[in-house]
Amino acid sequence: MSEALEEPLLKLITTTTIWLLFLTFAGFFSFILFLPSELTLFDRFSNRRSTGTKEKKQMPKSSPKMSKATQEILAKVRRMVPPMLEKFHKGQMGRIAVIGGSEDYTGAPYFSAMASARLGADMSHVICEPQAAQVIKTYSPNLMVHPLMRQSSHATASESVDSVSKSVIEMLPRLHVIVIGPGLGRDPLMQDTCAKVIEAAKKENMPFVLDADGLYLAQTRPELVQGYKECILTPNVVEFGRLCKSKGLDVKELEEGKGAEKLSKAFGGITIIQKGGKDYISNGDKTFVSDLEGGLKRSGGQGDTLTGSLATFLGWRKAYLDKIWDHDDELDAAELLALAAFGGSSLTRESSRLAFAKKGRSLQASDLTDEVSVAFTNLFEGPAAKL
């Protein structure tokens, strides 16, 4: 190529390259500038915030507000939480099973078992119907899922309530606590199986929690739980009304704050957690009021965080009673059960508060699961826990 042509060509290439670089950087910075202000690099480095009228999401406070009474009760709950010691082995911090999960309902047992695990149980199981098991196994590899339950429509000719319940009951020696109800449904075979499991658990003096369709068993077959003080029922407002009706109690005539106590006495002193704006927790003799601030979104599945949390606290109760670590041994079994109920309620309410502050109206049950660990720290390890 002649020198006469080479020099203009080099100038053209250089000029073109410079323009391409300019356009590339101009396009990049234009993209950044048109992002929402909270996402721009300028904001990230200068901590500049948007001054427009767009509503900002309120971030959760580092610790919850609580009354002096709540602080004192939580201080007692803290005493039953096992320390983290090298001498402990797998399973001592709680072996939990959630019995439920049917063809149509797979989320509830997952949320319950995951709350239990996130709070600190060593082993969390789900015992469910095979169609539910296939789905739940895809949610998390951290849970152990056992397809032992059967719905009537899926049972083979050789499968009966006796054979199905036998396979579930054989798992009980491996467990400390069971939760019955999340995603269970009201299929007769599923309900009858759980009735037999409850009878077997009672013989072993095993604590259990009934929620959702597990409460239907208490409503229609009250003899299953009557007077069994290792049992916790967790009714919402509708379920509470049904349980009261089954015991001949008129909800409209119950004094505010006394309903849980009345229902507990009607069931022979079992623990009732009456869920609501405040949770009333009673064993008929003593009533706690769980009044921590919670979230304002009432999406389905939040009660499953409660049942899983209760199960872990009950597992820790067993560890306390077994004295797997050195402590003052001042809390007896009855008081520990009430404290476990209060701890589970408070943990759930704090998880809800944290999740709602981040998600607002879009809050879902899975958002509570994500906050369980932080909620525990706030209540039992953070600044508020040391007041």
Side-chain angles (χ1 to χ4, degrees):
M1 182 181 297
S2 67
E3 291 184 5
L5 291 176
E6 184 175 345
E7 185 175 348
L9 184 59
L10 286 173
K11 288 182 178 180
L12 178 61
I13 293 173
T14 302
T15 303
T16 302
T17 302
I18 292 171
W19 273 105
L20 286 174
L21 289 172
F22 173 79
L23 292 173
T24 298
F25 282 107
F28 173 77
F29 283 108
S30 296
F31 172 75
I32 293 296
L33 289 173
F34 282 101
L35 282 174
S37 60
E38 65 268 24
L39 295 179
T40 67
L41 293 179
F42 181 75
D43 284 338
R44 289 179 182 176
F45 287 107
S46 68
N47 291 322
R48 182 169 165 262
R49 293 293 180 263
S50 172
T51 57
T53 58
K54 183 179 178 182
E55 182 181 349
K56 298 179 185 178
K57 284 191 176 180
Q58 182 182 1
M59 294 307 291
K61 299 167 187 173
S62 59
S63 58
K65 294 180 180 178
M66 63 180 74
S67 65
K68 185 66 175 177
T70 295
Q71 287 181 26
E72 291 173 354
I73 299 170
L74 287 177
K76 278 193 168 184
V77 176
R78 198 176 311 123
R79 290 163 60 186
M80 68 184 286
V81 177
M84 303 294 288
L85 302 178
E86 290 184 356
K87 69 176 184 177
F88 292 161
H89 59 75
K90 182 176 69 176
Q92 286 185 298
M93 292 278 210
R95 301 194 295 269
I96 313 303
V98 178
I99 303 177
S102 54
E103 185 174 22
D104 293 335
Y105 306 112
T106 60
Y110 164 78
F111 290 131
S112 180
M114 276 304 296
S116 175
R118 288 283 179 86
L119 182 54
D122 279 352
M123 306 175 76
S124 293
H125 301 258
V126 175
I127 301 173
C128 59
E129 230 271 346
Q131 279 72 14
Q134 295 174 25
V135 178
I136 296 170
K137 286 180 179 181
T138 68
Y139 293 160
S140 172
N142 296 311
L143 303 178
M144 290 158 281
V145 184
H146 312 273
L148 303 178
M149 299 289 285
R150 292 292 183 276
Q151 291 176 236
S152 302
S153 57
H154 300 150
T156 64
S158 62
E159 291 175 325
S160 64
V161 63
D162 289 330
S163 64
V164 174
S165 61
K166 182 176 182 291
S167 62
V168 179
I169 291 169
E170 286 175 348
M171 279 197 65
L172 295 185
R174 298 162 53 185
L175 305 171
H176 296 150
V177 184
I178 55 176
V179 176
I180 297 177
L184 180 67
R186 297 189 181 180
D187 175 81
L189 181 54
M190 297 279 277
Q191 289 273 318
D192 291 345
T193 298
C194 286
K196 285 189 172 291
V197 172
I198 288 173
E199 292 287 8
K202 287 163 60 178
K203 291 177 182 177
E204 300 299 323
N205 202 40
M206 176 179 288
F208 57 82
V209 179
L210 296 187
D211 186 47
D213 288 315
L215 293 173
Y216 186 69
L217 283 166
Q219 175 190 334
T220 57
R221 312 182 205 188
E223 68 280 0
L224 286 172
V225 298
Q226 188 71 30
Y228 185 66
K229 297 187 179 181
E230 292 291 302
C231 170
I232 300 178
L233 307 186
T234 60
N236 59 27
V237 62
V238 175
E239 294 159 342
F240 184 80
R242 291 171 180 163
L243 289 169
C244 285
K245 186 177 180 180
S246 73
K247 285 295 185 178
L249 298 175
D250 188 342
V251 175
K252 296 178 182 179
E253 295 180 359
L254 294 175
E255 183 182 346
E256 185 176 358
K258 296 291 185 181
E261 177 186 342
K262 293 286 187 182
L263 186 60
S264 174
K265 288 180 177 178
F267 272 104
I270 66 177
T271 298
I272 305 290
I273 301 179
Q274 182 186 2
K275 298 182 291 190
K278 297 178 181 178
D279 293 347
Y280 292 95
I281 303 165
S282 183
N283 59 9
D285 294 325
K286 189 169 185 177
T287 300
F288 289 147
V289 181
S290 178
D291 58 0
L292 282 179
E293 176 189 358
L296 299 179
K297 178 67 184 296
R298 301 291 182 260
S299 62
Q302 296 185 56
D304 300 312
T305 297
L306 172 62
T307 58
S309 301
L310 290 171
T312 294
F313 275 108
L314 289 171
W316 290 343
R317 169 182 178 252
K318 174 177 170 52
Y320 181 97
L321 293 172
D322 289 346
K323 295 204 71 171
I324 69 170
W325 77 94
D326 294 330
H327 56 72
D328 55 23
D329 201 24
E330 290 182 356
L331 303 173
D332 62 26
E335 185 175 13
L336 284 166
L337 193 141
L339 292 173
F342 190 88
S345 169
S346 298
L347 188 284
T348 303
R349 297 176 75 87
E350 174 65 356
S351 297
S352 176
R353 180 186 76 88
L354 293 168
F356 180 74
K358 292 181 179 179
K359 301 292 186 177
R361 294 178 185 273
S362 70
L363 180 146
Q364 299 296 309
S366 56
D367 298 316
L368 268 71
T369 306
D370 293 337
E371 300 296 338
V372 167
S373 177
V374 179
F376 175 81
T377 298
N378 286 354
L379 295 179
F380 301 105
E381 295 177 341
K386 297 177 174 61
L387 294 177

